[in-house]
Structures are given as C-alpha cells and as structure tokens.
Amino acid sequence: MTQINAFDPPDRELIARTLDGDGGAFGLLVERFQRKIYRVAYAIVRDEVEADTITQDTFIQAYTHLAKFQGRSEFETWLTRIAINRSRDSLRRRRFVRFFSSTDDEENREGFVEPVDDRPDPEREIMAHQLRGAIELAERQLSAQQKVIFRLRHYENRSLEEIAELLGLRSGTVRAHLFRAIHKIRKQLEAFR
Amino acid sequence: MKTHYTEADLLETYYMQPDEASDIIAHVNGCNECQSRYRRLGEKLRDIAACPSDKPATFWTRQRMMITRAVENARHQSQATARGGRIAAAAMLAFVLGGAVVYKTIPRPKPPVVVVAQQSMAAAPDADDDLDVPRDPWQSEELKDFGSVVAWESWSR
C-alpha cells in the first residue's frame, strides 16, 4: 500500500472531486500511484518505454472509466488491474510481432547461459546479467498469462492470493500457471547446475 | 540422497508454499555450501528485480504532464460530445414539439363535400320536406324565374 500522509486527502475524496470536474484532484491521484503502476508495468513488460506508455494509458483509462469505479476494492488495486491487463496485451502483441520477425540473432542466444561458479563480486555482476539473460530467454517459452503470473511473483514479490485477486483468477489456477512456468524456466536454467 | 541443490532447485523454492520447500530449506540451513549458493541467488534475483523506479524527478513530472494533458483532452472531448448531444437532443425536441404545435394550430379544413353529403343525406329521407335546401338556390323552383330580375338589378347598379 502506498504511504499516504495523514494530511493528504483520501483516494475516495480525490475520486469524488475528479468526478465533479476537478482536474487537479486527478493529478494528485496520478502523483500518488504513478511510481507503483510504472513498477508493476515494468515488472511485466521489462521495457522502460513500454512501461511508461502503459502507465500513461492506465491513468487515462482509469479517468475515462472513473464513474464505473464502485469502490469494492482499493483504488490502487483497481489501477493495478488495469495496468496488468494493458501489460498483458502488450506482451501478447509483442509475442505476435516476434512470431513474424524472429531473427537468427535471437535464436542464437541459446548458447548465452554459462555455468555458475564461485567467482568474486565483479564477476558476480556478469553472472547476474547472464542469469537475467537466461531467465528472459526461458520466459519466451511462456504464454502471456504464465509470463504475467511469473513476473508478478518473481519481480513484484506478490503472493499467489494477491495475483489471483489482481487477475480475477482462483488461487489454484494461478498456482498451476506458476508451476508450469517454473517447470519451463527450470529447463532453461539447468545450464546453471 | 541429494548432496547439494543447484540454483535452479533453489530458485524453485521461491514459488513453493513453505511446507513444499521445507525439505530443501532444511538442507540449506544445515549446509554451508547450499546456504551461500542460496544467498547468492537471492542477490542475483534482487538485482534482476531491481526496477528503475528511482528515476529522476523530471521523468515523473513529464509523465504526469502527459497524463494530465491526455486527461484534459479526454474531458474536453467528452464535454464537446455531451454538448453536441444536448444540442442534437434539443433540436430533436424542438422538431417534435414544433411539429405537434403546428399540427395542433392548423385548423383541419372541413371538406365541403362532407357538408353537401350531409345535406343530401339529410334531404334523402323526405324529398318533399319544406326545409329542403337545393345545391344551387337559383335552381330551386321558387327562385329560378327571378334569375333575370336579379341579373338586371345587378347590372343597373
């Protein structure tokens, strides 16, 4: 939950003011949640420009549908859901584009993973980079849904219950997706043994 | 029995429920080698997970401005749409009401044929009725002989 000063107006008040036509109130909501939404979007799409676009789109969509927000969940949760849906759309789009434009260079990255060893700190950074590369490569095998779940768990440290709530799925379904994702990732990471 | 766990095995524990990972965690707790591997893995993952959210203030200000501008555009657009809708609705209402008023104020012309028909209908039951009014009074039996007199009177004036 985002830290809010005791003197700051609560979300509900800002929402009501926005609906009454106070544009400044929505600006405060943006300021309050933009970092968090950007982080969620980045965790899923792993691209700064894309995450920035998704963050902007999330707030614009939230604004245009603000009257439909019934307050059954926190405003932050509602925003996060919008951001996740947009990020998932972005992943699907990217997957579609990659399907038609995959290059030899990308396919040749298979040999990128190297075995882990106990090297000192400076080289550990390289290993971290390699692990990142390995995970990113492995993630390509995942469906958009699996990728979203994996990344929310992996990069955002969200609990299964939280992910289930954000995606509108049952916790068991999230768990199944996550385990399937891990199984695929694990295969890729075997080179680290 | 497994001697040591690989990073892939340890990575998997991140996604397990505590009871599912208990065997591995128990081993890690008692094995220095696996413990250090687990710690290194944690460091790597933290590094991977590091999100560039600590961006300069200008980034967030620019982003906020972009959002505010888009939101203002959306608001103006919806206001223009609403105004257009109101104008269209008012025009439609005026058209409907105007049509109704015009329709109500224009007196419906009584077709003379109906009057004649009524007269003839009224005359029909009894042809010898004294109140019988012919279609052209000058053609009636009483007045037809005075036609020339009336014409002369009119001409002399």
Side-chain angles (χ1 to χ4, degrees), chain A residues 21 34-35 38-39 46 48 52 60 63 116 118 124 153-155 160 175 182 186 189 193, chain B residues 6 9 11-12 14-15 17 20 40 43-45 48 51-52 55 60 62-64 70 75:
Chain A
Q34 67 182 147
R35 287 169 178 78
Y38 177 83
R39 209 178 63 231
R46 307 298 294 169
E48 292 188 24
D52 183 23
I60 293 163
Y63 179 82
V116 133
D118 297 331
R124 201 176 291 162
R153 182 76 189 95
H154 192 100
Y155 300 121
L160 293 181
R175 190 185 160 107
I182 290 166
R186 185 180 168 147
L189 294 176
R193 283 172 192 268
Chain B
T6 64
D9 295 327
L11 180 67
E12 205 169 353
Y14 274 69
Y15 313 106
Q17 298 293 327
E20 292 169 329
R40 279 201 309 276
E43 284 168 10
K44 285 175 190 172
L45 290 175
I48 289 170
C51 171
K55 287 184 165 295
W60 303 113
R62 181 201 56 85
Q63 189 183 67
R64 211 159 40 242
R75 188 164 57 177

Side-chain angles (χ1 to χ4, degrees), chain A residues 122-189:
Chain A
E123 292 190 25
R124 201 176 291 162
E125 271 186 35
I126 297 168
M127 291 310 297
H129 182 71
Q130 286 176 339
L131 179 62
R132 180 190 293 142
I135 290 178
E136 280 175 4
L137 198 64
E139 282 183 9
R140 289 194 187 169
Q141 313 297 319
L142 309 181
S143 69
Q145 182 81 304
Q146 287 174 342
K147 209 176 280 184
V148 169
I149 292 170
F150 176 79
R151 288 177 174 177
L152 283 174
R153 182 76 189 95
H154 192 100
Y155 300 121
E156 274 283 293
N157 265 332
R158 304 269 183 162
S159 69
L160 293 181
E161 287 71 26
E162 222 177 335
I163 296 169
E165 198 206 331
L166 288 170
L167 295 177
L169 298 171
R170 285 188 298 117
S171 167
T173 310
V174 171
R175 190 185 160 107
H177 275 300
L178 186 60
F179 272 81
R180 248 173 263 146
I182 290 166
H183 183 71
K184 288 180 183 174
I185 298 237
R186 185 180 168 147
K187 274 188 178 174
Q188 290 289 331
L189 294 176

